[in-house]
């Protein structure tokens, strides 16, 4: 059951993106990259163990991890680079080898990146569930996170390999996109860990889900670019615009509204996550207690209201942008 809970959610998300994008490789080829992603996860885990063993011989690495600054340093120089590096190699090496024969399009290479990231997620899910260090709810919610980390360099790699026109320019974009993934990876891990520390560090955890919402938005924008959607007059494909004003005052107002939308939507999801996590410890009979039902309904109403308000602001920003463009 642990293995099924670890594998099925990432596989379902992979099938979703396979069906959504056009000009995609065979599903069996994606499953091959999914398996490579799982293998890269085990490689990354062992490399991290080797890194910590060597680091303990140089400095008191274990003692440094008790400090918040030490946790940040570990994420930036160990976890982020090793995990994103293993995923990158799992996509890059077989793709360059097979490209001579199959001439993959950018959408295919991007999907290879998604498949490897989801395979990496499946391996990570299994490790957490097997050792009892994560719940099923937590692992399901974190299913798309590795794909969101790797999307920027997956997009740059896809354009570089799949298009000769932008080959030279996009070769330079890959290292920058990979570094972006490393920083975002480290930042998310630090935010998720911050809840273990006393205030004010604990308050950083309220930035986790807004940041995840932004990364999901970025992933969707890259998918739109690959699909060729969102073309505006006189230009090619472009992502959905939310900030469209030209005057500094109006742009500042729209930027503030975007930030507010992220905070509302992210913390609505955060609240639903905490609610699901707290209810998961109760038995089915306890869920029917009047006080439990009242608590659940009140929290659902609060978080859904926050989410609805975020959606209203988002739709308003989109309508304003569309009117200015058209």
């Amino acid at each position: 059951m642990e293995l099924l809970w670890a594998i099925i959610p990432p596989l379902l998300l992979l099938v979703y993106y396979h069906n959504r994008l056009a000009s995609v490789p065979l599903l069996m080829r994606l499953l091959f990259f999914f398996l490579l992603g799982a293998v890269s996860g085990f490689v990354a885990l062992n490399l991290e163990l080797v890194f910590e063993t060597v680091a303990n011989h140089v400095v008191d690495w274990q003692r440094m991890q008790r400090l918040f600054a030490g946790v940040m340093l570990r994420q930036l120089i160990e976890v982020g680079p090793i995990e994103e590096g293993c995923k990158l190699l799992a996509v890059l090496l077989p793709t360059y080898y097979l490209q001579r024969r199959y001439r993959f399009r950018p959408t295919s290479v991007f999907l290879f990146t998604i498949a490897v990231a989801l395979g990496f997620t499946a391996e990570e899910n299994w490790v957490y569930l097997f050792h009892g260090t994560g719940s099923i709810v937590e692992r399901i919610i974190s299913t798309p996170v590795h794909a969101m980390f790797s999307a920027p360099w997956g997009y740059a790699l896809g354009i570089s390999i799949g298009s000769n026109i932008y080959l030279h320019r996009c070769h330079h974009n890959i290292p920058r996109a990979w570094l972006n993934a490393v920083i975002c990876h480290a930042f998310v891990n630090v935010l998720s860990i911050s809840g273990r520390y006393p205030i004010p560090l604990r308050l950083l955890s309220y930035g986790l889900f807004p940041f995840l919402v932004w990364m999901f938005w970025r992933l969707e924008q890259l998918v739109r670019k690959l699909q060729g959607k969102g073309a505006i007059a006189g230009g090619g494909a472009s992502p959905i615009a939310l900030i469209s004003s030209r005057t500094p005052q109006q742009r500042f107002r729209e930027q503030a509204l975007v930030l507010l939308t992220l905070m509302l939507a992210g913390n609505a999801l955060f609240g639903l996550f905490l609610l699901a996590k707290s209810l998961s410890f109760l038995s089915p009979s306890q869920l029917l207690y009047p006080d439990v039902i009242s608590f659940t309904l009140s929290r659902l109403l609060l978080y859904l209201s926050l989410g609805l308000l975020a959606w209203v602001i988002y739709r308003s920003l989109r309508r304003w942008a569309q009117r200015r463009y058209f």
Side-chain angles (χ1 to χ4, degrees):
M1 289 301 297
E2 293 168 347
L3 187 60
L4 290 177
W5 278 114
I7 293 176
I8 291 178
L11 279 178
L12 290 176
L13 191 58
L14 179 60
V15 172
Y16 166 75
Y17 278 108
H18 175 267
N19 293 333
R20 182 176 172 185
L21 287 168
S23 303
V24 295
L26 297 174
L27 186 58
M28 290 303 298
R29 192 166 293 155
L30 284 182
L31 292 178
F32 167 72
F33 278 89
F34 183 88
L35 180 61
L36 285 180
V39 172
S40 71
F42 284 108
V43 173
L45 180 61
N46 284 280
L47 287 176
E48 288 170 6
L49 292 175
V50 171
F51 180 95
E52 295 195 0
T53 301
V54 174
N56 275 321
H57 285 89
V58 178
V59 295
D60 193 348
W61 189 250
Q62 293 298 327
R63 185 178 179 181
M64 289 177 60
Q65 299 312 301
R66 300 172 189 170
L67 303 174
F68 189 72
V71 171
M72 294 177 60
L73 183 65
R74 177 176 179 266
Q75 297 297 328
L76 281 172
I77 70 173
E78 177 191 338
V79 177
I82 288 176
E83 295 189 1
E84 293 303 319
C86 287
K87 286 188 287 183
L88 177 63
L89 291 177
V91 178
L92 188 63
L93 297 180
T95 301
Y96 265 115
Y97 175 78
L98 297 171
Q99 176 69 0
R100 300 175 183 176
R101 180 177 179 182
Y102 295 103
R103 304 299 297 173
F104 296 123
R105 297 186 178 185
T107 50
S108 297
V109 180
F110 184 78
L111 272 178
F112 293 158
T113 303
I114 298 297
V116 164
L118 292 174
F120 194 102
T121 300
E123 177 274 337
E124 192 173 78
N125 286 348
W126 181 80
V127 170
Y128 275 98
L129 295 175
F130 181 79
H131 292 282
T133 52
S135 67
I136 292 175
V137 173
E138 290 173 331
R139 301 321 303 167
I140 291 177
I141 290 176
S142 64
T143 295
V145 173
H146 274 286
M148 294 189 295
F149 290 151
S150 304
W153 61 256
Y155 177 82
L157 190 65
I159 299 299
S160 177
I161 294 177
S163 175
N164 292 325
I165 298 175
Y166 303 103
L167 183 63
H168 177 73
R169 183 180 68 185
C170 290
H171 268 319
H172 295 287
N173 289 339
I174 293 173
R176 288 188 298 178
W178 181 82
L179 182 61
N180 179 286
V182 169
I183 294 173
C184 289
H185 194 142
F187 190 56
V188 166
N189 286 351
V190 168
L191 291 178
S192 65
I193 295 170
S194 62
R196 307 173 188 174
Y197 293 86
I199 294 176
L201 292 176
R202 187 183 302 173
L203 298 177
L204 292 174
S205 62
Y206 289 97
L208 173 61
F209 275 75
F211 190 70
L212 291 177
V213 171
W214 174 80
M215 285 204 305
F216 181 76
W217 164 262
R218 183 178 65 174
L219 171 61
E220 288 297 303
Q221 298 290 70
L222 295 175
V223 171
R224 284 180 60 86
K225 285 185 177 182
L226 289 173
Q227 289 176 310
K229 288 185 176 180
I232 60 176
S238 69
I240 297 172
L242 296 180
I243 301 174
S244 55
S245 297
R246 296 182 180 180
T247 62
Q249 295 84 357
Q250 290 179 333
R251 289 184 66 86
F252 178 78
R253 185 191 67 177
E254 291 176 352
Q255 290 169 354
L257 287 174
V258 169
L259 181 60
L260 177 61
T261 301
L262 291 174
M263 293 301 296
L264 290 172
N267 283 294
L269 292 173
F270 186 40
L272 292 172
F273 165 70
L274 293 178
L275 178 62
K277 187 176 179 180
S278 61
L279 294 178
S280 65
F281 295 107
L282 302 179
S283 64
S285 61
Q286 290 176 316
L287 294 175
L288 300 177
Y289 290 170
D291 55 341
V292 174
I293 294 176
S294 176
F295 172 80
T296 303
L297 292 177
S298 64
R299 289 296 183 271
L300 282 175
L301 180 61
L302 172 62
Y303 301 138
L304 292 177
S305 298
L306 293 177
L308 179 61
L309 180 58
W311 176 253
V312 169
I313 298 173
Y314 164 76
R315 293 299 302 177
S316 299
L317 288 170
R318 283 199 61 181
R319 284 196 298 269
W320 293 341
Q322 289 171 351
R323 289 172 183 171
R324 290 188 176 98
Y325 282 132
F326 296 102

